[in-house]
Amino acid sequence: MPASTVVRGPVLTFTGDPFRDGLDATMVHLPDGIVAMADGHITHVGPADAVLPQLPPCVEVRDWGSDALISAGFVDTHVHFPQTPMIASQGAQLLDWLERYTFPTELRFADEEFARSVAKLFLRENLRNGITTSCVYCTVHPQSVEVLFEEAEALGLRLAAGKVLMDRNAPEALRDTAQIGYDQSAALITKWHGRGRLLYAITPRFAGTSTPEQLDAAGALWREHPDCLMQTHISENRREVAWMKELFPEHATYLDIYDHHGLCGPRAVFGHGIWLEETELTRLHQCGGAIAHCPTSNFFLGSGAFDLARAMNSTRPVRVGVGTDIGAGTSFSMLATLGGAYESAQLNGQSLSAGHAYYLATRGGARALYLDERIGSLAPGLEADLVVLDMRSTPLIDFRMDQARDLADRLFVQMTLADDRAVQATYVAGRLAYERPPRRS
Ligand code: GUN
Ligand code: ZN
């Protein structure tokens, strides 16, 4: 047996989609479980008393204790690494926020060393929060993609990213052209897509900053490389939606703009989608595109409360993952993001159970990115990306956990009260990539 890493503790994972088949049929909880990993993949998952006898007798087992929770690593389906320096910028809604904070910050990524320093910090924050895969917007500068991929490769992360395409309605130094954007993206695909665990995402920022010619070029590039992802924004803000009607009067809906240019299909990830119409949700279901639900961002920018139950409607369910959407999002913590998803559901008169929420952060996110056969759950053969949570990470949580009735309650406490302090360890491809420093008492 190859050199292995073995962890022990309570285990939570999903074998299917609880929105479709219910939690009883899809959520697996092992009160005392083992996950064994070798060569970057999971080799064993099961109750400790069943799995331990199958492992070599001298194998070292890292026991995280009964107050831990071992889960598949979190999947962030929508995030902008270059916006890390401007997280928590006050006072504007989407279009003004882009002008006032986003574009000036993204201009700084012409400087490769600055871009690298932010990429390192961004990936470190991901690991500190148990995020082992993210789908990332870079800037218009190809070197912003290069540095992120280089740093992700050094950490062995599975990660998708792409150069932002913008050829109008942005500062000149942030604009490419349809041809230049196509050529630079094509070169990045050749170099990086499928290299190790890295994937390329063709990234027209949104229809507001791309001409029809650029959207056409992005569609052509995706047809030439259909196993790449494609990411963009849609129907986030009411003023944005009205602006799209002005820019593209010939299209009946916002999604139709992208569809017309060949940008709807499997592996398309649309950020936000708060104000989508019924016909657009139906089309997303048909084409296999996904929505990245970014609740903390939606609240921070005052964009609205995404209606998850409507998107997931069983007559035409759309794939949905969750996104931190840094820097409009307010936290790298996936637990805080799930708390936001709960609040967003509440504003729509629904309730999001903890089990459904943890699914969205793991297997659901992986499914949104068409990666659920590789990541997002704990099963032999899958890539060994794990997060180990500490279910008693603060004095208040510790106290509240003593009152908790059952697993659902304990999980819900985490997504309502916990943050990065709850992440004890993050494993990437079977390697301990982050461990929380010992707490000062
Ligand atoms: N729409 C177009 N660009 C952006 C962006 O950078 N952030 C958010 N939240 N929405 C966008
Ligand atoms: Zn975004």
Side-chain angles (χ1 to χ4, degrees), residues 253-302:
T253 64
Y254 197 159
L255 184 67
D256 191 44
I257 302 168
Y258 295 129
D259 207 357
H260 176 81
H261 292 96
L263 297 171
C264 285
R267 284 176 288 281
V269 187
F270 295 94
H272 306 280
I274 302 168
W275 304 106
L276 289 171
E277 296 170 19
E278 187 53 37
T279 53
E280 296 173 289
L281 291 167
T282 301
R283 175 67 186 131
L284 277 179
H285 166 77
Q286 285 167 348
C287 80
I291 296 173
H293 174 22
C294 306
T296 72
S297 163
N298 295 342
F299 295 147
F300 183 73
L301 291 181

Side-chain angles (χ1 to χ4, degrees), residues 78-80 83 94 97 137 205 232-233 236 271-272 294 297 325-328:
H78 182 114
V79 62
H80 300 252
Q83 294 178 13
L94 175 65
W97 175 86
Y137 288 64
R205 177 175 223 120
T232 190
H233 296 85
E236 174 178 2
H272 306 280
C294 306
S297 163
D325 194 24
I326 302 301

Side-chain angles (χ1 to χ4, degrees), residues 239-413:
R239 241 184 85 204
E240 171 215 9
V241 176
W243 186 37
M244 291 317 123
K245 284 203 197 325
E246 285 169 28
L247 287 176
F248 296 89
E250 65 280 22
H251 293 294
T253 64
Y254 197 159
L255 184 67
D256 191 44
I257 302 168
Y258 295 129
D259 207 357
H260 176 81
H261 292 96
L263 297 171
C264 285
R267 284 176 288 281
V269 187
F270 295 94
H272 306 280
I274 302 168
W275 304 106
L276 289 171
E277 296 170 19
E278 187 53 37
T279 53
E280 296 173 289
L281 291 167
T282 301
R283 175 67 186 131
L284 277 179
H285 166 77
Q286 285 167 348
C287 80
I291 296 173
H293 174 22
C294 306
T296 72
S297 163
N298 295 342
F299 295 147
F300 183 73
L301 291 181
S303 304
F306 176 71
D307 189 339
L308 178 66
R310 175 169 172 250
M312 292 285 205
N313 184 315
S314 60
T315 62
R316 43 122 198 83
V318 177
R319 289 170 192 246
V320 178
V322 280
T324 62
D325 194 24
I326 302 301
T330 51
S331 177
F332 276 90
S333 170
M334 195 50 75
L335 297 169
T337 304
L338 297 182
Y342 176 79
E343 291 165 1
S344 193
Q346 286 285 71
L347 286 167
N348 282 290
Q350 306 136 21
S351 189
L352 175 65
S353 88
H356 288 85
Y358 281 71
Y359 166 79
L360 288 178
T362 54
R363 191 181 173 112
R367 186 163 178 275
L369 304 181
Y370 284 78
L371 290 174
D372 48 321
E373 288 179 3
R374 299 180 181 201
I375 58 164
S377 34
L378 302 177
L382 269 71
E383 296 171 9
D385 292 342
L386 274 61
V387 56
V388 182
L389 297 179
D390 167 7
M391 304 286 273
R392 294 178 179 268
S393 59
T394 71
L396 176 63
I397 294 172
D398 186 32
F399 170 73
R400 176 63 178 85
M401 290 294 277
D402 288 337
Q403 331 300 320
R405 296 178 305 275
D406 53 19
L407 174 67
D409 202 9
R410 295 200 298 276
L411 294 175
F412 188 74
V413 167

Side-chain angles (χ1 to χ4, degrees), residues 141-154:
H141 315 96
Q143 64 269 31
S144 71
V145 187
E146 297 275 358
V147 297
L148 183 70
F149 276 146
E150 283 168 16
E151 297 301 325
E153 184 173 57

